[in-house]
Amino acid sequence: MALRKDKDNTAALIAAILFFLAIAVGAFMFFNTYDVNPAALREGHRYESYCQQVHLYKETNGREGWKDYRGIYYKECLE
């Protein structure tokens, strides 16, 4: 009877280790796949979409796009 209990504990331990290993590998693959592209953080691309939206706001007299809520349009976007 004691031998059967040890086998059950060993199987449960192996199953738990494999489960956590699968979670770790899955998390690594997820973060590796959907990681932010470092090139997108370069100075030239940092405000690209923000600048486009503010420019659209100014072109359409506020009907579309974003207001310059950061206050950086003239400094960062019109260089």
Side-chain angles (χ1 to χ4, degrees):
M1 191 66 126
L3 184 60
R4 174 80 174 153
K5 188 175 183 180
D6 289 341
K7 284 185 179 180
D8 289 343
N9 287 342
T10 304
L13 181 63
I14 291 172
I17 290 172
L18 289 176
F19 174 75
F20 287 115
L21 183 63
I23 295 295
V25 169
F28 173 77
M29 290 174 61
F30 175 80
F31 287 113
N32 195 29
T33 302
Y34 297 106
D35 199 3
V36 175
N37 183 3
L41 299 177
R42 288 194 311 245
E43 190 66 32
H45 298 283
R46 185 179 306 182
Y47 303 114
E48 185 175 345
S49 63
Y50 177 81
C51 293
Q52 290 173 351
Q53 290 296 323
V54 173
H55 181 73
L56 181 62
Y57 180 85
K58 293 190 178 298
E59 290 287 314
T60 62
N61 292 324
R63 289 187 306 273
E64 296 180 31
W66 302 336
K67 187 175 182 179
D68 186 17
Y69 61 88
R70 291 183 185 170
I72 62 169
Y73 180 73
Y74 293 105
K75 180 181 176 187
E76 296 290 332
C77 300
L78 298 179
E79 293 179 334

